[in-house]
Amino acid sequence: MKVVLPQNLEDYVTELVQTRGYKGSDEVVTEALREHQLRHQGMEVEMTPELERLLDEGLENLERAKSTDQLRHRS
């Protein structure tokens, strides 16, 4: 795989290799992609029948809707 980076990112990768002990640019990119993958795992929402029902119920009651912040701070 060949990756082309903007000059500022290429310079940053070179700096990391020189100052942070990476063996090469491929190691920097691999680590960055692993971190990206971890941050984005589980962020997709599956539309289940229960979730669809709750969304429909919320839309039907918009005039009484409360934000999640309001619900958290109920007395």
Side-chain angles (χ1 to χ4, degrees):
M1 172 187 297
K2 181 178 178 179
V3 177
V4 178
L5 298 174
Q7 189 61 51
N8 65 323
L9 289 179
E10 190 173 324
D11 293 344
Y12 182 63
V13 169
T14 300
E15 178 186 333
L16 290 175
V17 171
Q18 293 172 350
T19 62
R20 302 287 174 95
Y22 290 97
K23 294 178 182 150
S25 58
D26 57 327
E27 195 174 309
V28 174
V29 173
T30 298
E31 182 179 311
L33 287 172
R34 281 192 182 122
E35 288 178 15
H36 181 275
Q37 186 179 40
L38 286 172
R39 276 195 318 271
H40 289 85
Q41 282 178 341
M43 292 186 75
E44 292 183 24
V45 176
E46 182 180 337
M47 184 60 78
T48 63
E50 175 68 4
L51 179 56
E52 190 170 345
R53 183 189 67 73
L54 291 168
L55 289 170
D56 288 342
E57 183 180 307
L59 288 172
E60 290 171 5
N61 298 300
L62 280 177
E63 67 281 350
R64 296 181 303 163
K66 292 185 173 31
S67 70
T68 52
D69 192 50
Q70 289 170 319
L71 291 171
R72 281 189 203 103
H73 296 98
R74 260 195 280 189
S75 301

